[in-house]
Amino acid sequence: MSTAYMMDYEFKMKTQNERVKVEDLFDYEGCKVGRGTYGHVYKGRRKDGSDSKDYALKQIEGTGLSMSACREIALLRELKHPNVINLIRVFLSHNDRKVWLLFDFAEHDLWHIIKFHRAAKANKKPVLVPKGMVKSLLYQILDGIHYLHSNWVLHRDLKPANILVMGEGPERGRVKIADMGFARLFNAPLKPLADLDPVVVTFWYRAPELLLGARHYTKAIDIWAIGCIFAELLTSEPIFHCRQEDIKTSNPYHHDQLDRIFNVMGFPHEKDWEDIKKMPEHPTLLKDFKKNNYVNCSLVKYMDRHKIKPDSKAFHLLQKLLLMDPNKRITSEQAMQDPYFQEEPLPTQDVFAGCPIPYPKREFLTDDDQEEKSDNKRQTQQQQQTQNNQQSQQQNQQNNQNNQQSNQDNHNTAKRVRLSAPQGHPSQVNQQQIPISQQQQEFHHQQMMYNNGQQQQQNFQQRF
Amino acid sequence: MSGNFWQSSHHQQWLLDKQDLIRERQHDLSILAEDEYQKIFIFFASVIQTLGEQLKLRQQVIATATVYFKRFYARNSLKTIDPLLLAPTCIFLASKVEEFGVISNSRLITTCQNVIKNKFSYAYTQEFPYRTNHILECEFYLLENLDCCLIVYQPYRPLLQLVQDLGHEEQLLTLAWRIVNDSLRTDVCLLYPPYQIAIGCLQIACVILQKDHKSWFAELNVDIEKIQEIARYIINLFELWKTYDEKKEIQGLLGKMPKPKAAPQR
Ligand SMILES: Nc1ncnc2c1ncn2[C@@H]1O[C@H](COP(=O)(O)OP(=O)(O)OP(=O)(O)O)[C@@H](O)[C@H]1O
Ligand SMILES: [Mg+2]
């Protein structure tokens, strides 16, 4: 049988003609703003000018539908929450077999925000932000994660870079949890997770039970990561910062990362975490670590050194998020009820609470980084840089802060330059709020719009 | 994703209307009689089931693949894409979505070749004609036609809950589970929410095993009419099976089936 008969010619032509190409609809050339392990992210504008909003276009790494691309599409297609990034549309480019995802553009993310604060701290120039900003950020992160968790979706890769914050516009200052590429349904594990993708959460945000070989991901693992992010927001330092050398290892056990956690938290007492004995790597732990090395370590002391008082509500909540025993760790739902959020200043929907946003907008990445396309290269570079940092850190403990600063700078190796906006990107000032009616009209222009049913119904009612 | 069925794309976009279904099938039903059309889908459901079993997939993955297959042809004529190509493509996509893992291309093709040769030689005398590039191309068309709705809710989970509530009966569960599998050979997965299908299948299982759970069913607070409709579909399938010899008839039916046409020759 010849290939011609697998698919009807007329059908093929008809769908080909109807198919809208991403490059026909959007201007994004030269506007790369992000590069992750799983894709390139561009800032785009509609070519037909039907709206002047910014969009994020994520081109998934590689060709075709990898499992993580499938999961990202499958999950995002179903999820709908103000604090979870909204997948507007999927483009399949048949010629080069590339997959593109269209999202709302988020001007900021916690990685850049924290980086900005560190730089300011190092230069002794304080940043003016609303008093409740960290609280609002945390509250919305919890809200989004609670939604995911109650839909039996685990994020598994929570870290500052994956927490986006909307810039000027109708959703100003709203948290959007992104990067669900690894998100996984966990109500019916088909395979132990460790077999599927050996390295998942960046080690800094990895819960101790994962480092001790836990076979399954849980909600509690996401909660630990949120605790880490909360601490980092409070202090501008990654709380469990650690050099990352064997990033590629499939062995979950990571001595240095555990050492770092114990250095901050103290070594877990058996009464605090009874089931630690059941962890696969518990024997290794006993062999490698001496309790006595950590007798003077505690979260109270660590946070106190960073000027967070142990009797503050923030500290109390942090302590509940960062409990070593996953069974005792607070849930997102409980955390949202915490007194911290009932105390003034109350959390706000706009995390910037109407104040000017002090953070720079996303810069376009140059094409230099095209050469280092391969992830391995990028990771190795990253590791080397982290190692360098670590060395200098050891050389000069007092300069610790600055080193960590440069370490964070190197997290994304691509060079950053501010470019003038290309045509179709009228300068970025033009960010006024778009009236709702215009937004709704907007929906009509899109073919594969993913709305909730109500919106869909509305569209139909208006259309027919 | 097993949270809220009511907000899912399955509920919002893929519970179809019986009349719509009839309308979409008009072209195919001008060539095939209704029972012939159903027999073709029974056949390909078996192809998907057998492929899935050979690949050691869980029933959930197999069921999802079957629903993709049925959804595609609910919107397209059988002539658009050869179902013999779409069937393994559905398996390939479902296994990624359900996180079974990516089936290696060569393993998928080899399995197709073996299954067609060893289990379905009564339908196909020739070798399985497709290669990896065909599956990959077809996969993009499938995803487009599914409108990227990949999460499918299945009756298995609600069934487990129902049987548990009834006071776990192994025999009843086994039979009802098999009836849910059989229901994939009807249109119910396109028309009714999975928990209703689970109840319908459980009810049939109770009748077959002569278990009287009438009062328990009465307390379920479901649309009895819908359950009866579902049961009707499945009983009709059982009736059809009584007189139908697939081994004898299928080759003729596949021959009669509308097929993709090549580019017009000049
Ligand atoms: N909607 C968006 N708006 C603006 N920028 C975005 C958006 N989505 C992603 N980005 C930027 O692109 C980067 C990479 O995106 P994303 O995290 O989705 O990709 P990834 O390859 O899966 O990442 P990772 O390496 O963290 O797994 C983000 O860190 C962020 O800086
Ligand atoms: Mg990311």
Side-chain angles (χ1 to χ4, degrees):
Chain A
M1 191 190 280
S2 79
T3 17
Y5 293 100
M6 67 177 244
M7 194 177 294
D8 188 63
Y9 179 77
E10 212 179 284
F11 167 75
K12 193 170 176 165
M13 287 301 120
K14 189 172 155 272
T15 41
Q16 230 168 59
N17 292 335
E18 286 170 0
R19 186 176 300 130
V20 184
K21 297 200 185 98
V22 63
E23 64 269 23
D24 291 344
L25 231 52
F26 288 92
D27 256 322
Y28 55 82
E29 212 180 308
C31 303
K32 189 183 285 184
V33 291
R35 245 248 324 268
T37 334
Y38 295 91
H40 301 247
V41 178
Y42 297 83
K43 178 174 177 173
R45 284 273 172 94
R46 278 186 192 284
K47 281 191 167 173
D48 66 1
S50 59
D51 69 45
S52 56
K53 279 200 297 184
D54 292 317
Y55 291 90
L57 278 160
K58 176 163 168 177
Q59 185 191 46
I60 294 179
E61 187 70 46
T63 54
L65 287 161
S66 64
M67 188 155 98
S68 72
C70 277
R71 277 192 253 160
E72 184 158 10
I73 294 171
L75 291 177
L76 285 175
R77 185 70 179 78
E78 307 294 325
L79 299 171
K80 193 101 207 153
H81 186 273
N83 299 118
V84 175
I85 192 79
N86 177 37
L87 175 65
I88 303 171
R89 184 173 176 170
V90 178
F91 293 97
L92 299 177
S93 172
H94 287 236
N95 293 335
D96 57 7
R97 300 200 40 77
K98 281 286 184 189
V99 179
W100 291 82
L101 308 182
L102 177 69
F103 298 101
D104 295 319
F105 186 78
E107 193 63 78
H108 310 282
D109 60 65
L110 292 191
W111 186 80
H112 284 101
I113 288 178
I114 292 166
K115 176 184 147 185
F116 186 82
H117 282 268
R118 286 159 70 82
K121 202 161 133 186
N123 299 330
K124 303 236 167 12
K125 279 190 198 146
V127 190
L128 275 181
V129 290
K131 237 178 124 211
M133 189 179 82
V134 169
K135 189 185 286 184
S136 306
L137 285 168
L138 180 66
Y139 189 82
Q140 294 188 32
I141 296 170
L142 288 167
D143 208 352
I145 283 300
H146 175 242
Y147 171 78
L148 294 179
H149 284 180
S150 50
N151 279 287
W152 298 92
V153 173
L154 283 176
H155 190 288
R156 294 195 305 163
D157 194 17
L158 284 170
K159 55 185 181 187
N162 290 336
I163 310 288
L164 310 180
V165 181
M166 298 297 279
E168 299 296 343
E171 291 195 285
R172 186 187 206 268
R174 185 175 284 169
V175 167
K176 300 277 174 186
I177 296 172
D179 201 359
M180 311 293 296
F182 274 126
R184 162 170 219 290
L185 313 166
F186 66 103
N187 53 347
L190 303 186
K191 276 190 170 186
L193 293 147
D195 298 348
L196 278 171
D197 23 49
V199 177
V200 178
V201 183
T202 314
F203 283 111
W204 297 352
Y205 306 92
R206 276 202 142 185
E209 65 271 25
L210 271 178
L211 298 165
L212 290 174
R215 297 288 288 161
H216 297 282
Y217 282 84
T218 58
K219 298 180 186 184
I221 287 167
D222 282 344
I223 296 296
W224 176 273
I226 294 176
C228 300
I229 295 170
F230 184 31
E232 197 167 330
L233 286 168
L234 291 169
T235 66
S236 308
E237 313 280 343
I239 179 167
F240 302 123
H241 175 268
C242 169
R243 106 199 135 98
Q244 310 177 48
E245 47 178 337
D246 2 273
I247 201 158
K248 283 246 134 126
T249 180
S250 58
N251 184 2
Y253 180 79
H254 196 285
H255 174 276
D256 294 358
Q257 188 63 63
L258 281 166
D259 176 56
R260 171 67 189 174
I261 293 177
F262 301 151
N263 262 312
V264 174
M265 308 285 297
F267 198 82
H269 291 288
E270 240 180 58
K271 69 168 174 27
D272 295 334
W273 185 1
E274 283 176 18
D275 287 349
I276 192 171
K277 296 189 292 267
K278 297 181 189 158
M279 302 307 300
E281 299 291 344
H282 187 248
T284 332
L285 180 80
L286 292 184
K287 181 166 65 67
D288 287 0
F289 288 88
K290 283 204 199 71
K291 238 193 207 115
N292 293 339
N293 290 346
Y294 307 99
V295 279
N296 289 318
C297 310
S298 76
L299 187 60
V300 172
K301 286 183 190 158
Y302 174 86
M303 290 309 283
D304 206 33
R305 280 202 294 278
H306 287 89
K307 317 229 159 40
I308 304 296
K309 294 198 190 67
D311 58 355
S312 64
K313 295 227 163 49
F315 179 82
H316 283 294
L317 178 54
L318 178 67
Q319 207 167 28
K320 291 180 216 160
L321 294 164
L322 288 181
L323 279 172
M324 294 280 242
D325 183 347
N327 291 318
K328 296 186 181 146
R329 229 169 276 154
I330 195 169
T331 67
S332 51
E333 203 172 6
Q334 291 163 341
M336 288 168 72
Q337 302 300 321
D338 195 84
Y340 175 55
F341 297 113
Q342 269 115 53
E343 179 184 73
E344 297 281 341
L346 296 178
T348 48
Q349 290 216 339
D350 168 4
V351 301
F352 307 118
C355 303
I357 303 174
Y359 311 109
K361 292 184 168 171
R362 288 186 192 277
E363 291 169 358
F364 296 126
L365 306 182
T366 54
D367 280 344
D368 288 11
D369 59 329
Q370 305 263 280
E371 298 146 31
E372 352 160 333
K373 231 175 189 156
S374 97
D375 290 327
N376 304 354
K377 240 182 177 171
R378 178 173 158 256
Q379 281 193 340
T380 336
Q381 272 202 355
Q382 212 172 300
Q383 287 159 33
Q384 281 169 354
Q385 271 154 347
T386 334
Q387 273 171 8
N388 294 346
N389 277 322
Q390 183 68 24
Q391 279 162 8
S392 45
Q393 225 170 54
Q394 281 162 352
Q395 282 161 13
N396 188 351
Q397 289 264 337
Q398 282 174 330
N399 225 357
N400 186 21
Q401 241 179 27
N402 293 338
N403 276 318
Q404 285 191 354
Q405 174 59 44
S406 58
N407 171 43
Q408 284 239 328
D409 278 334
N410 291 329
H411 178 86
N412 281 353
T413 52
K415 286 185 194 154
R416 279 153 201 278
V417 190
R418 199 176 270 284
L419 298 178
S420 60
Q423 287 188 342
H425 279 76
S427 66
Q428 300 180 325
V429 213
N430 184 0
Q431 298 240 11
Q432 79 280 59
Q433 300 211 343
I434 298 147
I436 302 285
S437 61
Q438 195 182 327
Q439 272 189 319
Q440 276 178 352
Q441 275 173 9
E442 192 8 62
F443 291 144
H444 296 255
H445 296 292
Q446 305 194 3
Q447 292 184 331
M448 281 161 78
M449 277 286 318
Y450 306 148
N451 299 314
N452 59 34
Q454 254 181 345
Q455 274 169 327
Q456 256 165 18
Q457 268 176 1
Q458 266 175 21
N459 284 344
F460 276 104
Q461 278 163 9
Q462 289 173 16
R463 218 185 289 188
F464 303 110
Chain B
M1 209 48 225
S2 84
N4 198 333
F5 173 72
W6 306 106
Q7 261 136 49
S8 66
S9 64
H10 187 158
H11 177 249
Q12 294 185 349
Q13 253 177 278
W14 287 102
L15 289 186
L16 308 178
D17 187 68
K18 181 110 197 281
Q19 296 309 314
D20 281 348
L21 218 49
I22 293 169
R23 202 167 338 106
E24 297 277 3
R25 286 177 184 167
Q26 238 166 30
H27 173 267
D28 288 354
L29 290 181
S30 68
I31 295 165
L32 297 162
E34 213 163 306
D35 69 307
E36 294 177 326
Y37 185 86
Q38 189 182 4
K39 284 170 183 170
I40 286 171
F41 279 86
I42 292 173
F43 173 73
F44 283 106
S46 308
V47 172
I48 293 173
Q49 183 75 35
T50 313
L51 279 175
E53 284 168 10
Q54 290 293 309
L55 291 162
K56 308 223 162 31
L57 303 182
R58 283 192 332 156
Q59 186 57 33
Q60 169 91 16
V61 187
I62 296 172
T64 296
T66 313
V67 174
Y68 290 170
F69 186 86
K70 293 192 69 86
R71 284 183 181 180
F72 180 88
Y73 290 112
R75 299 269 175 190
N76 297 285
S77 158
L78 277 164
K79 73 166 192 185
T80 55
I81 293 183
D82 181 0
L84 184 59
L85 172 61
L86 195 74
T89 307
C90 290
I91 288 269
F92 188 57
L93 184 59
S95 73
K96 287 187 273 188
V97 171
E98 298 279 350
E99 294 197 274
F100 172 81
V102 183
I103 303 168
S104 90
N105 294 322
S106 58
R107 184 156 164 253
L108 181 63
I109 298 293
T110 315
T111 309
C112 288
Q113 287 168 339
N114 291 338
V115 163
I116 292 302
K117 194 163 82 197
N118 302 331
K119 312 251 161 146
F120 295 101
S121 58
Y122 62 87
Y124 290 100
T125 48
Q126 277 169 335
E127 213 180 276
F128 179 75
Y130 299 113
R131 296 295 171 267
T132 303
N133 57 316
H134 303 129
I135 303 246
L136 295 180
E137 185 181 351
C138 183
E139 190 184 34
F140 267 29
Y141 282 84
L142 174 61
L143 185 62
E144 273 172 350
N145 274 277
L146 294 176
D147 196 16
C148 295
C149 303
L150 297 175
I151 304 283
V152 177
Y153 289 74
Q154 299 291 350
Y156 300 107
R157 197 186 309 274
L159 179 66
L160 286 172
Q161 279 162 5
L162 289 166
V163 174
Q164 200 169 33
D165 190 57
L166 252 174
H168 191 89
E169 294 175 54
E170 198 60 45
Q171 198 191 13
L172 188 63
L173 177 63
T174 311
L175 182 60
W177 186 281
R178 273 177 41 203
I179 298 173
V180 171
N181 292 352
D182 290 340
S183 79
L184 292 167
R185 278 114 178 123
T186 73
D187 285 337
V188 295
C189 64
L190 297 174
L191 299 169
Y192 303 95
Y195 76 94
Q196 285 182 357
I197 299 174
I199 296 171
C201 293
L202 188 59
Q203 209 173 45
I204 295 176
C206 285
V207 172
I208 294 174
L209 295 175
Q210 297 182 323
K211 300 213 182 234
D212 183 9
H213 289 303
K214 279 206 185 65
S215 56
W216 181 84
F217 276 107
E219 279 171 29
L220 276 181
N221 187 25
V222 282
D223 188 340
I224 293 297
E225 219 166 285
K226 291 271 188 287
I227 305 297
Q228 296 312 326
E229 284 172 31
I230 293 166
R232 196 72 250 153
Y233 272 96
I234 292 165
I235 289 161
N236 284 345
L237 173 75
F238 292 167
E239 290 295 316
L240 183 147
W241 264 335
K242 275 186 194 156
T243 57
Y244 171 47
D245 185 353
E246 187 175 81
K247 289 201 161 65
K248 269 194 199 139
E249 284 180 45
I250 196 69
Q251 251 195 24
L253 289 173
L254 292 175
K256 195 175 169 189
M257 181 176 78
K259 289 185 194 55
K261 289 197 183 62
Q265 301 287 320
R266 298 203 181 188

